[in-house]
Amino acid sequence: MMRKKTVNLIATFTLVTASSVFAQPKKETPDPKAAPAAAVKAEPVEKKWYDAVDFSGFVDVYYMYNNNPLQGNDIDATRAFETNNKNFAVNAAALAVQKTAEKSSPWGFRVDFQNGLNNPYQEGLYSTVNGVYNYNLLKQAYISMYFPVLKGMTLDIGKMATHIGYEVIESMGNPNYSIGAIFQNTIPFIHTGARLTTQVTDKWSGTFYLYNSGGGTGYLAPTEANLSNGAKNTFVEGATQHKAVGTQVKGQIIEDKLSVTWNTLYSQDGATGVVDPTMAYLAAQVGAPTPGAPRAKYDTDYWFMNHAIVSFTPHEKITLDFDYTWSEKAGGFAPVNKESAAANADGSDPYTLEKILGGAVNTKDNKATYKAYGSWIKVKFNEEWGVNFRFEYIDDSKYNTQLTTFNPFRNANAYLGEARAAEDAALAAAVKASTPALAGLSDNEVLQILKPKDYTNYGNTHYGSYKTFTVTPVWNFTENLLIKLDMRRDWANGYQFVNSSGEKSKDQYGLTLGIVAKF
């Protein structure tokens, strides 16, 4: 009897335990009026400043073939940075370190280190011939400060790329590989100074610039005299205390369709103005020394640049960009006027009464202007392939002289060969011997009449004529490797080029294959 009760007790305990284990838990209906449980806040993680530092850079190499006689280590100055004709070359290798100044961390900086063949042509283009000592370039180095004004205001102080121009210094940032004639000839590249950029709205911004010079930062040539002169810094800026002042207004008129940019830059870099020809003439009459050039003045001896870009995107795969540049140089900054240059070409007294009354003298009112027109068509087939077109026209007809002085072939043909040059010299001598009226002319002056194609100095006579047209297929080989093939034609009035055979030509054709690895 006792055993039976024990078995029943064990069976009952087992059933109760099993039912507790396998029973479903009871679901409780939440009270809709009850307050939600407080979320557990994560401890804030302090972000270090160096976590916001970005590293980027590129390696840019190319092979170029221009149909001209330059080769080997000749400098092919028909290009801005790609000057090594018929050779492979390292255009540039660069590393950039940047921390952006923003609301959460209102300080920053940027430093661009660069080495390559294009460096010597980036600084002081208007007064300096740079050499191998400048191959290592501190292209940009500036500090940044952010201020919570409107949509944000940023102040940058240091060395920076210019704001003028459609194209930029780095080939990967342009539609074409080669730098165009407009960027090469009409504007500076790098400045030292400050800029204040204000984001007024989400679509419009304005920037104010204060540079040491309008012509750009550069170096003196490393001659013994320059390097041993303890009173002069070899780092070149403007010759006076006057700063170059620039502005930029940039914005979208139709979002993602139509945008505009307007840039200006006013500078007075030179140290001297123009000698008053009347005072110089009077001094000569009384036997006094010719007065020296006066100090340059900010309002009379200047360079004033205006530049505008209009960008139109009619389709997501097609963009049309239009570029316009107008510049005026005045007083001591302007090239000598044409009448004065022609009248004084023989080295005669530049301040005679006849020249003064005839207007063949240079005065403080002398002005020289130029215009440049550029257009780009960018077509994107897909994420990998595209093609870009560029057309440029430089009008220097009112510049007093030729603006495109970079072209080494614009004057008399220096590639005729010894035999042909001797033959032409004999011809000139025979003509002068048979025509006494021509005896006072040089051989070149006679040959300019007999053989104008080879002996005309087009740089002194043909202004307002330089044009380029470039077609560039683009292949994004990967996200980090860009390949461009420039097929370019340069031309101008008259025979301002020389082909590979040494013959004068009306144009120049060239191919440049550029490859850029970027990160």
Side-chain angles (χ1 to χ4, degrees):
M1 188 69 177
M2 180 65 68
R3 180 179 299 177
K4 186 175 180 180
K5 288 182 179 181
T6 302
V7 171
N8 289 337
L9 183 61
I10 294 173
T12 301
F13 177 78
T14 302
L15 289 174
V16 170
T17 303
S19 64
S20 299
V21 173
F22 292 102
Q24 294 292 327
K26 181 180 179 182
K27 295 182 180 180
E28 297 193 13
T29 304
D31 183 356
K33 296 183 180 181
V40 179
K41 292 185 178 180
E43 290 294 328
V45 178
E46 183 180 356
K47 189 176 182 180
K48 302 296 184 180
W49 68 266
Y50 47 78
D51 293 330
V53 175
D54 295 322
F55 294 84
S56 62
F58 63 88
V59 177
D60 182 343
V61 300
Y62 69 89
Y63 177 84
M64 181 174 74
Y65 181 90
N66 283 332
N67 186 30
N68 67 47
L70 299 175
Q71 56 191 6
N73 68 339
D74 293 334
I75 294 176
D76 187 349
T78 63
R79 295 291 183 268
F81 299 155
E82 315 80 40
T83 60
N84 207 359
N85 193 25
K86 302 169 186 174
N87 279 323
F88 292 98
V90 177
N91 196 0
L95 174 65
V97 184
Q98 180 175 18
K99 177 189 178 296
T100 302
E102 53 193 354
K103 188 174 183 179
S104 59
S105 180
W107 71 277
F109 65 90
R110 181 180 175 107
V111 183
D112 289 65
F113 304 97
Q114 183 168 299
N115 189 292
L117 289 176
N118 84 18
N119 290 359
Y121 311 103
Q122 289 191 19
E123 297 188 310
L125 291 181
Y126 303 98
S127 60
T128 307
V129 177
N130 292 299
V132 66
Y133 63 96
N134 195 25
Y135 273 32
N136 291 289
L137 178 68
L138 186 64
K139 185 168 62 177
Q140 294 193 113
Y142 57 82
I143 61 93
S144 301
M145 291 178 281
Y146 176 89
F147 303 95
V149 177
L150 297 177
K151 292 288 186 175
M153 177 184 289
T154 303
L155 174 65
D156 301 315
I157 304 175
K159 188 178 181 184
M160 59 197 69
T162 188
H163 68 289
I164 299 284
Y166 172 84
E167 294 180 320
V168 296
I169 292 174
E170 298 82 8
S171 67
M172 65 181 180
N174 296 319
N176 312 95
Y177 181 80
S178 62
I179 295 293
I182 294 176
F183 194 46
Q184 180 180 4
N185 290 277
T186 67
I187 55 178
F189 292 155
I190 297 175
H191 302 278
T192 302
R195 66 185 175 208
L196 182 66
T197 302
T198 303
Q199 192 68 39
V200 181
T201 69
D202 291 334
K203 297 181 180 180
W204 290 89
S205 65
T207 305
F208 176 78
Y209 302 87
L210 198 64
Y211 299 139
N212 284 337
S213 66
T217 301
Y219 297 91
L220 289 175
T223 62
E224 181 179 354
N226 286 335
L227 296 178
S228 61
N229 187 349
K232 295 289 185 180
N233 194 335
T234 55
F235 200 67
V236 174
E237 296 288 356
T240 71
Q241 64 179 348
H242 297 143
K243 301 305 177 194
V245 177
T247 62
Q248 181 182 85
V249 177
K250 184 177 183 179
Q252 296 188 60
I253 298 176
I254 303 174
E255 189 171 3
D256 299 329
K257 291 289 184 181
L258 182 63
S259 63
V260 296
T261 302
W262 178 33
N263 299 312
T264 68
L265 185 61
Y266 184 97
S267 63
Q268 187 269 296
D269 293 353
T272 59
V274 179
V275 173
D276 185 331
T278 302
M279 296 302 295
Y281 170 74
L282 294 176
Q285 300 311 301
V286 299
T290 301
R295 268 189 190 180
K297 295 182 178 179
Y298 198 67
D299 59 341
T300 58
D301 307 289
Y302 60 81
W303 182 11
F304 182 39
M305 287 177 271
N306 273 273
H307 170 250
I309 302 170
V310 177
S311 183
F312 176 52
T313 305
H315 186 274
E316 62 179 3
K317 293 186 176 181
I318 300 175
T319 300
L320 310 176
D321 294 333
F322 304 96
D323 178 80
Y324 174 71
T325 302
W326 176 89
S327 286
E328 179 178 79
K329 295 183 179 180
F333 214 107
V336 174
N337 66 57
K338 296 178 182 179
E339 294 78 10
S340 177
N344 299 314
D346 57 359
S348 59
D349 182 0
Y351 304 118
T352 65
L353 185 60
E354 180 183 4
K355 291 178 181 178
I356 293 174
L357 295 177
V361 290
N362 208 43
T363 71
K364 63 181 180 61
D365 297 321
N366 176 41
K367 288 183 172 59
T369 62
Y370 62 82
K371 301 176 183 178
Y373 308 85
S375 58
W376 284 259
I377 302 175
K378 298 179 289 187
V379 181
K380 182 179 179 180
F381 301 131
N382 51 44
E383 294 302 317
E384 292 185 16
W385 290 95
V387 62
N388 300 322
F389 304 87
R390 174 180 62 197
F391 172 75
E392 301 176 289
Y393 169 47
I394 295 177
D395 178 8
D396 55 3
S397 58
K398 296 182 179 180
Y399 189 62
N400 299 341
T401 185
Q402 193 177 63
L403 181 65
T404 53
T405 54
F406 68 89
N407 181 6
F409 310 116
R410 68 190 187 282
N411 289 323
N413 190 356
Y415 299 88
L416 290 174
E418 293 183 8
R420 186 170 169 185
E423 180 183 315
D424 290 345
L427 174 62
V431 170
K432 289 193 293 183
S434 63
T435 312
L438 301 178
L441 299 179
S442 67
D443 287 356
N444 271 1
E445 288 173 329
V446 173
L447 290 170
Q448 284 179 23
I449 300 171
L450 300 176
K451 296 187 173 183
K453 178 179 177 180
D454 283 322
Y455 289 93
T456 297
N457 289 325
Y458 292 100
N460 297 328
T461 59
H462 287 64
Y463 310 150
S465 60
Y466 204 93
K467 306 176 183 69
T468 75
F469 179 68
T470 309
V471 180
T472 306
V474 179
W475 181 19
N476 291 291
F477 183 74
T478 70
E479 182 181 356
N480 300 99
L481 191 68
L482 178 64
I483 302 174
K484 296 180 181 178
L485 177 63
D486 268 17
M487 296 173 283
R488 173 168 165 172
R489 180 193 178 211
D490 293 42
W491 72 101
N493 293 341
Y495 294 85
Q496 297 196 42
F497 301 91
V498 176
N499 63 28
S500 294
S501 301
E503 299 289 338
K504 273 284 190 173
S505 175
K506 290 187 174 182
D507 51 20
Q508 173 179 282
Y509 289 89
L511 291 172
T512 307
L513 175 64
I515 305 176
V516 183
K518 54 185 178 177
F519 62 91

